Amino acid sequence: MSSQASYDVVIAGAGPAGAWALKHLPEGMSILLVDAADPLRSFRDNKLCGGMLTAQAQALLPELPLEIRAEPFKTKMEYHDVDTGVYARFPVDYANCRRNLLDEWLLRQALEAKGGDVEYSPDTRVSGLQADEEGVLVRLDEKREVKARRFFDCTGWRQFARRALGASLTPYFHALQAECS
C-alpha cells in the first residue's frame, strides 16, 4: 500500500446517514468521508429507493427545497404482500422526495457545516477493515490504507462493516417507490 494517513473518524457512505453523522460530529476532529458513488452528482445517480421521509425525520430537517419534493408530497404508506394477499394502509404521514436530490442537499449542508475538518473522497470504495486496540485500519479501493480511531458504516443495506468483520447480516426487506400517473 502506498499511503497511510490517520483520521479520528472514517465515514463510509455519504447518503443521509453519512451526511447526518458528519454534520453532528464534534468540531476539530479529522474526518474522511468516502462514498462508492458521489451524491453531489445527483443528476447522474438516480435512486428509486428511500424517498419517503417519516414525520420524525421531517422534524429533524429544515424545510425541504421545492426541487427535492416529489408529488404527491404528503402521502401515506401502503403494504402489499403478494404471497399472502395481505394489504394494509399505515396512518403515518410521509414526505415524498426525490432521493438523489435529497442526498445531494444533505451532503452539501454537512460539508458546508464542517468546512476544513473533512476530506471528502467520492468514487472511493472501502475494500477492507481490520480492527485492533488502537482503532481500525481501513483499506480503500485496494490502493491505500488509512488508520481511524472510529469507523462509521453508513452504507445502508450494503452493511459493509458487518460483512467485513463477519457479523450476521440484517434480513432483507424489499420496498418499492414509484411515481404513477
Side-chain angles (χ1 to χ4, degrees), residues 7-59:
Y7 299 90
D8 292 313
V9 178
V10 171
I11 301 172
W20 187 263
L22 173 63
K23 187 172 182 179
H24 291 88
L25 282 169
E27 294 297 321
M29 298 183 90
S30 60
I31 304 164
L32 173 63
L33 173 63
V34 300
D35 195 282
D38 183 4
L40 298 180
R41 291 192 316 250
S42 64
F43 62 93
R44 282 189 42 206
D45 301 323
N46 194 18
K47 290 184 176 181
L48 181 62
C49 64
M52 305 297 271
L53 296 175
T54 65
Q56 295 88 344
Q58 293 171 61

Side-chain angles (χ1 to χ4, degrees), residues 37-43 45 103-105 107-108 111 120 122:
D38 183 4
L40 298 180
R41 291 192 316 250
S42 64
F43 62 93
D45 301 323
D103 287 6
E104 177 185 359
W105 179 68
L107 180 56
R108 286 188 191 283
L111 290 170
Y120 176 49

Side-chain angles (χ1 to χ4, degrees), residues 1-5 7 137-138 140 143-147:
M1 303 290 157
S2 60
S3 166
Q4 187 174 21
Y7 299 90
L137 186 64
V138 183
L140 303 171
K143 296 176 187 167
R144 71 175 180 142
E145 291 179 341
V146 297
K147 191 75 175 161

Side-chain angles (χ1 to χ4, degrees), residues 28-97:
M29 298 183 90
S30 60
I31 304 164
L32 173 63
L33 173 63
V34 300
D35 195 282
D38 183 4
L40 298 180
R41 291 192 316 250
S42 64
F43 62 93
R44 282 189 42 206
D45 301 323
N46 194 18
K47 290 184 176 181
L48 181 62
C49 64
M52 305 297 271
L53 296 175
T54 65
Q56 295 88 344
Q58 293 171 61
L60 294 170
L61 296 172
E63 186 174 341
L64 293 175
L66 293 176
E67 64 271 10
I68 293 174
R69 298 175 180 205
E71 292 300 329
F73 180 58
K74 293 292 185 172
T75 186
K76 305 284 187 196
M77 182 176 170
E78 293 182 357
Y79 172 82
H80 300 262
D81 186 325
V82 180
D83 294 330
T84 64
V86 172
Y87 166 80
R89 284 185 178 221
F90 294 92
V92 180
D93 286 324
Y94 283 90
N96 191 13
C97 63

